[in-house]
Amino acid sequence: MPDRDNTYSTNQIRKISQCHSSYGKKTRLASPKLDRWKDLNKAIVDWLNNDALEETSVKVAEENNFQFYDTIQKRILSDLFTRFRTIYPKRNSNFNHEYLIKEAIKEIDGEEYGITTHFAYEFEDDNQYEYIRLKTAHDPEPELIDRAIITKLKSENEEFYTAAIELDDLVEIEMVENPDEIIDDYFNILEDYLEGRKKRTPGKQCDYCDQASRCGQFPLINADKITNRIREVKISKTNLVKLSNCERRTAWNVQYGLPREDFIEYESESVATKFHQFSQEILVNNEKFSEKQNIESFNQLTNEEDEVTREQLYLKYQQLVSQLNNYEDLIIKESEYILGFTCITEGKGLRDGKVIDQKVATIFTGKSDLAGRLGDIPLIIELKTRPEIPEDFLEAQLYALGASQLMKSEKEIIVLHIYVSDNNASVKERKFGISELESAKAKFEDIAKKPASWIPFDALSPSHKVGEWCDYCEFKNTCTEFR
Ligand code: SF4
Ligand code: SF4
């Protein structure tokens, strides 16, 4: 069996496959869904191990494990707990829940390495085993690598299921046809990681990564180091804008992870999204973007779209280039450019169920549409297909401060907001010199005091403010009930 240090869970390998730096020491970033999942799991174990009457064993399990939560989260947990008991009622089998794994092993450079898939529960009856994975997300299917390891190592007397709690279903885990090939692919990912553990690959994965305050992508702006005593909260640009209207709305998204009421399984891409994607595709590393022929080649990119959409996209792109042409020496190097920073402030935390003073780090993250340079000056471009709103200034400050850290320029950053419609376009240009960057920093230090004051486990601690924004709020019903 491989040494523990050489053993990686499938979850860790999934992280590594996205960004090597995202696999690191445990941090204290708010991960409410994971916390709730752990406590739900403990409640299930308590209930299964308790031979008392059903009603009593349920009550004891809930009291023991859900007590520190506010009423909203208690309700979520109780609901998930009830669902589990419905899809997997107590039965007369031997029950085990400790370190249940299946492990694929391979030798790399003379050392043994392992990739493990985990199960929450094992039930044994007459030498027949059932392994259960617990899943509370909407998509219950395990990752390919989990299925491959299960397929390869399954014995005849074993069965594998996912308790898909949100779907109220016990789903048998499907085997794969080519387990060895899949497992090999994942060992290749591991091998690549072992050769360069610090490689950083920013992307969508930054939103779910707990190493953001440490990896260098979101540098500290008002402290030299961050320790494990500091609790952390991550706020995306979208949630930053929401925060200026209502703290509760942002807090429920980023600190408490309450279920959103507007869950949409599939939404077709809008013309605006397509405009962003095609423009990014053609503009990055394209020094000839202003030439007539080059502009026309935009039409080739859109040839799978219907005629009306193509026409709209082309008109918008022409408008966009007409604005970019005002800038000489413009080089666009990146699209979907991830940037931001981390700000530490005094705040509140919980120890042994009691509220205490504690430092809190807030990681502000953003993803600009385009980034490059105007001569020597770093430049960030944001494309908008709507009119200007006041919050665009806050967004520009976020980008400027993030870019000043990441693009190593503390002297000047330019942020362009380009507002594009089919027959018009305008630009808002903002230059951030030393004093503008200082005031942006002061502003974000002030904003960071809000998340620092939210009490972990108490979703009712952040204040709420009713306004016109409530019409579009993803928590409208829950919020109204708990005002
Ligand atoms: S925050 Fe992004 S870049 Fe940094 S380690 Fe995580 S995934 Fe990688
Ligand atoms: S409904 Fe309104 S008050 Fe309630 S969380 Fe949403 S934005 Fe805030």
Side-chain angles (χ1 to χ4, degrees):
M1 208 159 114
D3 189 89
R4 226 188 156 92
D5 287 346
N6 286 356
T7 301
Y8 294 80
S9 69
T10 49
N11 200 27
Q12 287 162 343
I13 295 286
R14 191 183 46 76
K15 278 182 165 190
I16 286 169
S17 71
Q18 294 168 334
C19 171
H20 289 185
S21 280
S22 70
Y23 174 50
K25 288 205 181 112
K26 209 172 165 342
T27 65
R28 299 194 52 213
L29 181 71
S31 51
K33 287 185 186 151
L34 187 64
D35 289 337
R36 284 202 295 267
W37 184 90
K38 283 182 190 156
D39 286 320
L40 171 67
N41 178 42
K42 283 192 211 153
I44 292 171
V45 171
D46 278 4
W47 166 70
L48 285 166
N49 278 331
N50 191 337
D51 291 334
L53 286 174
E54 178 76 357
E55 200 183 318
T56 314
S57 59
V58 168
K59 199 166 161 229
V60 171
E62 291 201 344
E63 272 171 13
N64 284 349
N65 297 291
F66 306 160
Q67 58 175 320
F68 291 120
Y69 289 93
D70 57 80
T71 41
I72 303 175
Q73 294 188 81
K74 265 190 194 138
R75 190 167 72 183
I76 295 169
L77 280 160
S78 280
D79 174 49
L80 293 173
F81 188 25
T82 309
R83 285 168 184 243
F84 180 83
R85 298 195 312 273
T86 313
I87 57 178
Y88 210 94
K90 237 187 230 179
R91 51 192 81 179
N92 236 349
S93 330
N94 293 319
F95 165 65
N96 186 13
H97 64 96
E98 276 166 359
Y99 204 60
L100 303 170
I101 59 157
K102 293 273 176 200
E103 181 169 31
I105 295 169
K106 190 179 176 188
E107 198 174 296
I108 301 175
D109 282 341
E111 276 192 68
E112 265 198 339
Y113 284 85
I115 301 181
T116 54
T117 183
H118 289 243
F119 308 92
Y121 317 118
E122 174 199 81
F123 296 92
E124 185 267 332
D125 196 3
D126 206 13
N127 204 30
Q128 291 296 313
Y129 290 83
E130 275 187 4
Y131 291 92
I132 311 291
R133 292 167 69 90
L134 189 59
K135 191 96 184 196
T136 56
H138 289 272
D139 175 12
E141 177 145 13
E143 301 281 331
L144 203 55
I145 177 64
D146 293 291
R147 289 170 52 208
I149 297 174
I150 293 170
T151 306
K152 188 172 169 62
L153 301 175
K154 181 181 184 304
S155 304
E156 276 196 354
N157 60 347
E158 294 175 329
E159 285 177 21
F160 298 86
Y161 296 93
T162 301
I165 302 187
E166 311 245 355
L167 302 180
D168 288 325
D169 203 3
L170 189 67
V171 188
E172 188 165 354
I173 295 176
E174 273 185 43
M175 301 296 120
V176 296
E177 279 178 6
N178 51 345
D180 289 317
E181 218 175 288
I182 297 168
I183 292 170
D184 263 354
D185 284 349
Y186 278 81
F187 272 114
N188 289 342
I189 292 170
L190 178 59
E191 208 168 334
D192 184 37
Y193 167 74
L194 295 173
E195 281 165 15
R197 293 173 190 246
K198 293 285 167 210
K199 199 169 85 188
R200 196 171 64 192
T201 316
K204 277 196 203 118
Q205 55 272 17
C206 297
D207 290 347
Y208 311 101
C209 174
D210 64 359
Q211 300 296 314
S213 63
R214 326 283 165 116
C215 74
Q217 189 71 25
F218 307 94
L220 295 165
I221 53 163
N222 63 348
D224 296 328
K225 65 176 179 123
I226 182 159
T227 68
N228 269 2
R229 283 200 297 280
I230 298 179
R231 108 177 144 79
E232 302 182 29
V233 186
K234 195 190 288 168
I235 299 192
S236 66
K237 185 184 74 180
T238 315
N239 279 308
L240 171 68
V241 171
K242 290 175 184 173
L243 183 62
S244 42
N245 293 326
C246 171
E247 273 189 60
R248 177 184 269 192
R249 186 175 181 189
T250 297
W252 282 8
N253 273 310
V254 304
Q255 170 78 50
Y256 305 99
L258 294 193
R260 296 160 63 101
E261 289 155 20
D262 61 350
F263 180 74
I264 301 166
E265 283 202 21
Y266 176 74
E267 201 175 22
S268 65
E269 288 171 331
S270 67
V271 173
T273 312
K274 287 176 184 165
F275 167 65
H276 278 75
Q277 287 168 349
F278 289 126
S279 303
Q280 287 168 329
E281 198 177 327
I282 196 167
L283 286 170
V284 172
N285 288 322
N286 178 2
E287 287 176 18
K288 297 183 180 155
F289 70 82
S290 54
E291 290 174 12
K292 195 161 174 271
Q293 227 175 347
N294 203 288
I295 298 171
E296 274 163 23
S297 66
F298 181 85
N299 267 329
Q300 284 156 20
L301 286 181
T302 61
N303 61 9
E304 306 240 312
E305 304 297 326
D306 62 67
E307 274 312 307
V308 179
T309 309
R310 284 188 85 182
E311 177 68 12
Q312 286 176 323
L313 290 168
Y314 188 50
L315 287 172
K316 284 191 175 57
Y317 185 66
Q318 284 173 303
Q319 293 294 339
L320 169 60
V321 174
S322 73
Q323 294 300 324
L324 293 176
N325 280 343
N326 295 328
Y327 293 88
E328 270 179 35
D329 288 338
L330 168 64
I331 297 179
I332 295 173
K333 284 277 173 207
E334 309 254 7
S335 60
E336 301 289 294
Y337 188 61
I338 311 271
L339 73 180
F341 46 85
T342 303
C343 185
I344 298 182
T345 184
E346 296 298 332
K348 298 288 173 196
L350 266 194
R351 190 180 299 143
D352 303 328
K354 292 206 178 72
V355 177
I356 53 161
D357 290 334
Q358 191 175 64
K359 278 194 167 45
V360 179
T362 305
I363 306 151
F364 294 100
T365 71
K367 188 167 38 173
S368 71
D369 291 328
L370 297 163
R373 291 200 176 253
L374 202 54
D376 289 341
I377 306 170
L379 173 88
I380 301 292
I381 301 174
E382 190 65 9
L383 307 177
K384 301 289 184 198
T385 49
R386 55 147 173 84
E388 187 178 351
I389 57 170
E391 286 81 3
D392 291 346
F393 177 49
L394 187 62
E395 182 179 88
Q397 286 181 305
L398 166 72
Y399 288 155
L401 200 47
S404 74
Q405 306 285 320
L406 204 59
M407 295 165 108
K408 310 251 178 289
S409 169
E410 289 177 2
K411 291 209 185 84
E412 189 173 48
I413 307 281
I414 298 178
V415 180
L416 301 182
H417 274 82
I418 308 185
Y419 302 93
V420 185
S421 70
D422 291 356
N423 44 29
N424 197 6
S426 62
V427 174
K428 182 84 171 207
E429 178 185 309
R430 294 183 175 94
K431 288 189 174 157
F432 289 85
I434 292 172
S435 71
E436 287 83 7
L437 289 171
E438 273 305 315
S439 34
K441 185 175 154 196
K443 181 149 159 199
F444 277 94
E445 280 178 323
D446 200 43
I447 294 173
K449 288 179 190 158
K450 291 183 184 175
S453 71
W454 303 336
I455 312 294
F457 293 91
D458 184 359
L460 292 170
S461 68
S463 62
H464 64 274
K465 192 164 152 207
V466 177
E468 66 210 13
W469 44 84
C470 295
D471 289 346
Y472 309 100
C473 178
E474 55 279 29
F475 304 113
K476 207 159 39 174
N477 299 331
T478 319
C479 176
T480 313
E481 194 186 337
F482 287 91
R483 276 183 197 157

